[in-house]
Amino acid sequence: MNTGGPRGLAAMLTLALGAGTVAGAGVLGAPAWAAEGSITAGYAVDKASIWTGQQVTLTQTAFADSTPDTTPTFALSWGDGTAAEPPAASLTSATHTFTKAGTWTVVVSITDDGVQTDVTNTVTVAAGGGSFKFDPTWNWTWFNGGHEATLKLSGIPSSTSKVWVNWGDGETSLVNKANTSVKHYYSWGSTGKHTAKVTLENASGGKVTASAGTYSLVEDTYNPSATLKVPSSPSKASSWKTVQGTAKDSQIGVDEVGIQLWKWTSTKDYYYNFQTAKWVKYTPGVTNIPNAAVKWVGVNSSGVWKTSVAGLSKGYYLEVDYVAYDKAGNNSGWKYKVQKLTS
């Protein structure tokens, strides 16, 4: 049995390593204390939690040989099924890229004087990924127009520290990894098509970039439709207290419906001022028609538009003029309905 100095040196190394001997920002491997008169050593990996495709560096953090007259040999296993590195005369550092997800035990085996000393580290490898897609992948607009896109995010690994979206139009956003969706306004650009990418980063600096698909702005060139709902008793003045109808558009959607009202007899004409809710006498070539003579209304979720009208009575002809515009500026063309009010 050896006595004196070598055991004293081993005891000092035990205290030093137990106090947290660390190389850089690495994770200290469990120090292995060999049989009397052999090896004491420590190794650490620089990253203990990574994504597939990331590289790990293993570095020797401590080493002492109490029998320097014999040369030890070093062998390294990364634990992920790749070929182990065969015994060599020394091992101060090594690098390895992990391509499979899992928890892997990295083992440095040091053999000296017939005694094997193992130093272990654990590396957890996760598959970086997630699912990213536009919902929808397209939207109607007008030529050179734009629209707010919605990008859906799911399956982002819990080990993710940062999430960037490169929108494909020259802009990049740093987004909260807890978000399940994020919005971005796209202008038309050269083609109306924009291909986005999402980049995830973990705490150890690993990055994974995935495609988020292409968002397309499509020019709407079709006109909306508009109809007027005729009351069940159309000749009755009171049945027109509410003028209503429907407007629909199968592409970008209806923006507004314009309504203009007239009434007349054989001798007098009137237009309806929606701002004052009054009928105003109209003289051709003399009366200036104000903006308030046309009312613009939206449609509800069923495409219904409506407005209230006051001051109708029998003995007049009522004319309802109406037009629908979609959000791309296309219109249905003005339509009208003339009804004689007899009661």
Side-chain angles (χ1 to χ4, degrees), residues 75-164:
L76 171 60
S77 171
W78 292 102
D80 60 351
T82 57
E85 297 186 17
S90 65
L91 177 61
T92 57
S93 67
T95 59
H96 182 67
T97 299
F98 286 88
T99 59
K100 296 186 296 183
T103 298
W104 312 112
T105 301
V106 181
V107 182
V108 179
S109 297
I110 309 169
T111 303
D112 189 34
D113 295 329
V115 178
Q116 179 174 308
T117 301
D118 289 341
V119 183
T120 63
N121 282 263
T122 299
V123 178
T124 300
V125 183
S131 178
F132 319 106
K133 64 179 182 179
F134 286 105
D135 185 22
T137 59
W138 56 271
N139 211 93
W140 297 105
T141 184
W142 53 95
F143 181 71
N144 279 332
H147 200 272
E148 187 176 66
T150 299
L151 179 66
K152 299 286 188 178
L153 312 172
S154 63
I156 295 177
S158 60
S159 54
T160 302
S161 58
K162 294 179 181 178
V163 180
W164 285 277

Side-chain angles (χ1 to χ4, degrees), residues 134 136-150 167-169 184-195 213-221 251-252 328:
F134 286 105
T137 59
W138 56 271
N139 211 93
W140 297 105
T141 184
W142 53 95
F143 181 71
N144 279 332
H147 200 272
E148 187 176 66
T150 299
W167 295 103
D169 61 353
H184 178 70
Y185 186 86
Y186 277 114
S187 297
W188 186 275
S190 58
T191 64
K193 299 181 183 297
H194 304 277
T195 299
T214 298
Y215 186 82
S216 299
L217 295 166
V218 185
E219 182 184 4
D220 179 354
T221 59
Q251 296 179 343
I252 194 172

Side-chain angles (χ1 to χ4, degrees), residues 27 68 110 129 141 148 210 226 251 255 270 275 315 341:
V27 180
I110 309 169
T141 184
E148 187 176 66
Q251 296 179 343
D255 185 19
Y270 298 86
Q275 186 173 359
L341 305 178

Side-chain angles (χ1 to χ4, degrees), residues 13-37:
L13 285 171
T14 301
L15 292 172
L17 290 170
T21 304
V22 180
V27 180
L28 181 64
W33 302 102
E36 296 175 4

Side-chain angles (χ1 to χ4, degrees), residues 2 5-7 9-10 34-40 63-70 112-113:
N2 292 324
R7 287 185 64 82
L9 175 60
E36 296 175 4
S38 191
I39 300 295
T40 59
F63 184 79
D65 183 357
S66 62
T67 58
D69 53 320
T70 58
D112 189 34
D113 295 329

